[in-house]
Amino acid sequence: MPRETSSTASNSPVAGSGPASGDATTTRAGRGWLWSLLGGLVILGGIAAIPTLGSDTLTSNWTIITMYIVLAQSWNFIGGFTGYSAFGNVTFFGIGAYAVAVSFLSNPKVISPYDPQRPQQFFIGLLAGVVISAIFAFLIGLPTLRLKGHYFAIATLGTSVAVEEIVTQRDVAGSGGLASPPFPPLSLHIAFYYGFVALALVCLLLTTWLARSKFGYALVAIRENEQAAQTLGIATTWYKVGAYVLSAIPTAIAGGIYAYYSSGFEPATVFTSSISVTMVLVTFLGGSGTVLGPIIGAIIFEYASQQFALSSGQATSVFGYHFGSDTLLGVAIIIVAIALPQGLVRVVQEFTRRPVAGGAGASGNSRANQFVEGVRRVRKFIAANGI
Amino acid sequence: MSANLSPPTASETILELQHVTKRYGGLPAVDDVSFAVQRGEVLGVIGPNGAGKSTMVSLIGGSAAPTSGKVLFQGQAINTLPPHRRAHLGIGRTFQLTQPFTGLDIRENVMVGAFFGRRGLSRSQALHVADEVLARVGLAHKATLKGDQLTVADRKRLEVARALAMDPRILLLDEVMAGLTPAEVTDAIELIRSINRDGVTVLVVEHIVRAIASVSDRVLVLHHGRKIAEDTPDTVLSDPKVIEAYLGERYAKQKQAEKDPAQPASEWMEGLA
Ligand SMILES: Nc1ncnc2c1ncn2[C@@H]1O[C@H](COP(=O)(O)OP(=O)(O)O)[C@@H](O)[C@H]1O
Ligand SMILES: [Mg+2]
């Protein structure tokens, strides 16, 4: 059987010894993943500390920011790692939200907003949302993940529109889909907050694992060249569907938490395409396919968006037009597409990247020189990838 | 293990095509082709541009499905298997139009082949295989470059390295010598021989007739999608049908051929590459 023996038999002297094999445990960006994980933990730790500041406004603002971190992290699995531009991931968010709303409804004792809470209804709803979303992602992914590029984007965009329509027409959770889960007691708000933080933490760990695991390598190979990936033995269909299901699950949980947190929503709120677009945008802003990108992108964009909404609320209108946060969304899309298609994280990586060993000594050792070199690399990087 | 010692006589079929046809919009790219590859041999495939060579490689590798006919690997019909299943059976192929993972470095490119093409390797084992294979094809010093930073010749080497990392039973090479210097062609021939000595059956598609003639046990000629000859290199290269197939193409391009019909076949064919 030559198949089993040939490789081990051909132990070439070059590979058997020397630096090549000593190096064998480092890959993709070396130990960068460890720094990314640490960075992520620090950021999430900081977010976890915000409620201790005692400002309800701040806490509720960061509840939403953290929710978007989770949404972006989840989108990153299919869009960032696998390279499939899903434009309908809000579908899973909406399904998660409606599963919780329906679960509350199914227990008549808690229909009234002020009834004593039944936490198990909430968790049953969450679980149902996860299961339904995962199955839905599987069933939708199997046919649509055969489509490439724009076609996949459009097909997935279609799913959220379709599901929204069904929920509206079928009066799911209320007439016209108008859902009113019970008002959570104020004491629960902190639980929602840490629910999102915990979810973001799980997604961070998942992403770090993906960046190093066999599963993650399969996804990246599919993104970089699907035909080659297949030919080298990667069961592309299953990996793609797996990534899609993986991206659906945390999204659905986020939707479920949001449903209880919001205590009232309609189909247009939880199925709106602008949530899908925001997931894509913030991931690209931070750096799609990276560990930290979705976190950083979501924080920057959502924070800016909240400030913008605040100020435009006061400063009314410009040229008779009222600028809302959707305007910011639009402008941000244009800026990211033109100048930063690789994302902020990769720009920083480029800046801090140590020059290849043995390069001409021109760069010198002083901090100033390193800075200048870094800026030069970043300018080259942006020029090469953007504009 | 010793099946490769006397390839043509130890006739055990590893791969067989039975009346395989592939049509693109009515036009046959591969037209009713049948042949068998013996375990341990090197089978050369030549033919003018557009003869259907790459299409045939894709039909075996699985990235294209035959319109009709059967592809058998080790006696099993594989026409309906997706490419990754064929990879797991031991079919490794390269692409004429190279298909690197552009964002991964060269080492990782090859590592993916070992990681997914074989069963049960850990990441560091797969990387180890990648380093071995890179040294073997002469790419070790470029291991940290990205997939899109290579010259055409190195991209071809990468294609071979990735397929080799899968530890295939049969290796399908689609014009991997295009763009190499004569000295590099000699190295490539030596590489193919050494791969074959390790027990791997090789199907090598090439335009460089000198290379095919020196490396192949047998040569198969495609023309307009049809098999027009299949025999030892010498017999095939002096076959009037084969010469005519190439001359036909040559007439269309330039008339120089007429002037020197005494030239050995392998030399004038070279000029058509
Ligand atoms: N995907 C495809 N779609 C349509 N026609 C194709 C496709 N692939 C190959 N062909 C056609 O099939 C014929 C054989 O092509 P090919 O197999 O690439 O030839 P060779 O490798 O011998 O040069 C050509 O006429 C080519 O145009
Ligand atoms: Mg070809």
Side-chain angles (χ1 to χ4, degrees):
Chain A
M1 290 277 101
R3 186 165 157 76
E4 278 77 34
T5 51
S6 62
S7 73
T8 38
S10 66
N11 244 330
S12 83
V14 188
S17 60
S21 58
D23 202 19
T25 47
T26 61
T27 33
R28 240 191 294 157
R31 304 212 175 282
W33 68 273
L34 197 62
W35 291 110
S36 300
L37 176 61
L38 279 176
L41 290 174
V42 168
I43 295 173
L44 293 185
I47 293 175
I50 286 177
T52 63
L53 299 177
S55 158
D56 285 349
T57 320
L58 204 58
T59 304
S60 79
N61 283 350
W62 279 86
T63 306
I64 297 303
I65 293 177
T66 313
M67 183 183 88
Y68 272 103
I69 291 177
V70 172
L71 296 183
Q73 285 174 314
S74 322
W75 186 84
N76 197 29
F77 299 145
I78 183 71
F81 277 88
T82 322
Y84 271 77
S85 303
F87 268 93
N89 269 26
V90 74
T91 315
F92 311 122
F93 183 81
I95 289 175
Y98 271 95
V100 164
V102 169
S103 174
F104 274 123
L105 264 186
S106 70
N107 186 339
K109 286 194 186 126
V110 291
I111 290 181
S112 155
Y114 298 105
D115 267 352
Q117 299 311 307
R118 292 281 184 99
Q120 71 271 24
Q121 291 307 121
F122 171 67
F123 288 109
I124 290 168
L126 269 194
L127 188 65
V130 165
V131 171
I132 296 169
S133 286
I135 293 173
F136 192 71
F138 181 86
L139 294 178
I140 293 292
L142 216 47
T144 58
L145 285 166
R146 291 173 198 281
L147 304 170
K148 289 277 150 62
H150 311 309
Y151 301 104
F152 177 73
I154 291 166
T156 49
L157 191 62
T159 60
S160 67
V161 176
V163 175
E164 177 181 345
E165 197 59 27
I166 291 168
V167 167
T168 311
Q169 297 299 329
R170 298 252 136 201
D171 299 329
V172 175
S175 167
L178 198 66
S180 38
F183 286 128
L186 271 182
S187 61
L188 265 185
H189 276 229
I190 199 72
F192 296 137
Y193 190 87
Y194 286 110
F196 282 128
V197 173
L199 204 50
L201 178 65
V202 170
C203 287
L204 171 66
L205 297 177
L206 253 174
T207 314
T208 312
W209 170 76
L210 264 191
R212 316 215 340 117
S213 67
K214 187 169 186 175
F215 190 78
Y217 262 103
L219 301 186
V220 170
I222 289 168
R223 178 187 73 203
E224 296 297 328
N225 192 326
E226 191 162 350
Q227 189 174 37
Q230 276 189 315
T231 303
L232 294 176
I234 296 175
T236 49
T237 306
W238 299 116
Y239 279 107
K240 284 188 290 186
V241 171
Y244 199 40
V245 171
L246 194 63
S247 92
I249 290 173
T251 310
I253 299 176
I257 299 177
Y258 175 82
Y260 199 8
Y261 175 71
S262 73
S263 66
F265 54 90
E266 52 183 356
T269 330
V270 295
F271 287 108
T272 171
S273 295
S274 82
I275 295 182
S276 286
V277 174
T278 307
M279 294 180 202
V280 182
L281 172 77
V282 302
T283 310
F284 270 95
L285 174 64
S288 93
T290 67
V291 174
L292 284 182
I295 302 179
I296 292 172
I299 292 175
I300 293 176
F301 179 77
E302 275 309 307
Y303 185 79
S305 169
Q306 287 173 0
Q307 298 308 310
F308 199 81
L310 220 62
S311 63
S312 65
Q314 289 154 359
T316 57
S317 57
V318 181
F319 300 128
Y321 179 74
H322 184 86
F323 284 87
S325 58
D326 277 353
T327 316
L328 184 70
L329 184 65
V331 171
I333 289 171
I334 294 168
I335 292 174
V336 169
I338 290 178
L340 275 177
Q342 299 291 317
L344 288 168
V345 167
R346 289 209 178 82
V347 170
V348 174
Q349 277 172 355
E350 197 64 20
F351 180 76
T352 56
R353 184 164 62 91
R354 256 172 271 148
V356 182
S363 55
N365 277 331
S366 80
R367 291 207 163 256
N369 265 344
Q370 280 175 9
F371 182 80
V372 172
E373 275 295 308
V375 170
R376 194 171 296 151
R377 275 200 302 274
V378 167
R379 280 173 54 184
K380 255 168 78 181
F381 182 71
I382 291 180
N385 292 293
I387 314 178
Chain B
M1 243 182 271
S2 54
N4 53 321
L5 292 182
S6 48
T9 47
S11 41
E12 181 198 348
T13 299
I14 183 168
L15 175 75
E16 189 176 359
L17 271 68
Q18 293 176 347
H19 303 288
V20 169
T21 298
K22 175 67 181 178
R23 292 176 193 282
Y24 286 112
L27 291 172
V30 170
D31 193 357
D32 194 26
V33 169
S34 302
F35 67 92
V37 185
Q38 306 307 313
R39 188 186 295 280
E41 77 169 332
V42 178
L43 177 70
V45 176
I46 60 171
N49 259 325
K53 306 182 294 293
S54 296
T55 304
M56 197 181 76
V57 168
S58 289
L59 292 174
I60 302 169
S63 42
T67 311
S68 64
K70 250 187 178 176
V71 182
L72 299 162
F73 184 69
Q74 297 178 330
Q76 177 193 356
I78 58 168
N79 328 7
T80 55
L81 293 187
H84 73 271
R85 295 279 304 281
R86 303 192 197 198
H88 292 157
L89 287 177
I91 300 177
R93 72 162 291 188
T94 67
F95 288 94
Q96 182 179 4
L97 289 172
T98 56
Q99 306 281 339
F101 300 121
T102 45
L104 298 182
D105 69 28
I106 303 310
R107 189 168 177 235
E108 288 175 309
N109 262 273
V110 180
M111 179 260 208
V112 169
F115 215 3
F116 293 94
R118 305 187 192 189
R119 299 263 176 207
L121 288 198
S122 72
R123 219 168 59 101
S124 58
Q125 283 170 326
L127 280 170
H128 188 81
V129 169
D131 289 331
E132 270 180 22
V133 172
L134 283 173
R136 198 168 177 195
V137 303
L139 270 182
H141 58 297
K142 301 198 172 155
T144 57
L145 293 183
K146 293 273 191 234
D148 55 0
Q149 292 175 319
L150 295 182
T151 63
V152 174
D154 281 339
R155 279 167 161 245
K156 301 270 183 185
R157 289 191 179 96
L158 176 59
E159 286 285 323
V160 178
R162 274 195 323 201
L164 212 48
M166 297 164 54
D167 196 15
R169 289 169 196 241
I170 187 168
L171 184 59
L172 317 171
L173 302 172
D174 194 356
E175 304 211 19
V176 291
M177 297 186 203
L180 300 190
T181 66
E184 289 172 328
V185 167
T186 308
D187 288 346
I189 290 173
E190 200 34 61
L191 177 65
I192 293 175
R193 288 204 179 118
S194 98
I195 292 169
N196 182 237
R197 272 197 301 275
D198 282 349
V200 181
T201 308
V202 182
L203 187 150
V204 48
V205 174
E206 209 51 69
H207 240 121
I208 306 175
V209 177
R210 164 174 78 94
I212 282 286
S214 76
V215 82
S216 309
D217 298 310
R218 293 186 304 129
V219 174
L220 184 151
V221 187
L222 286 182
H223 185 44
H224 294 317
R226 291 185 154 267
K227 181 177 94 175
I228 59 167
E230 180 188 3
D231 213 319
T232 60
D234 287 344
T235 319
V236 162
L237 293 181
S238 51
D239 185 332
K241 268 186 306 193
V242 176
I243 295 172
E244 200 188 307
Y246 271 87
L247 279 179
E249 189 193 51
R250 184 166 214 193
Y251 273 129
K253 284 182 177 173
Q254 46 180 231
K255 298 199 170 172
Q256 209 185 335
E258 283 176 300
K259 292 175 189 164
D260 195 5
Q263 233 180 339
S266 65
E267 270 175 45
W268 60 254
M269 281 175 158
E270 201 90 8
L272 302 173

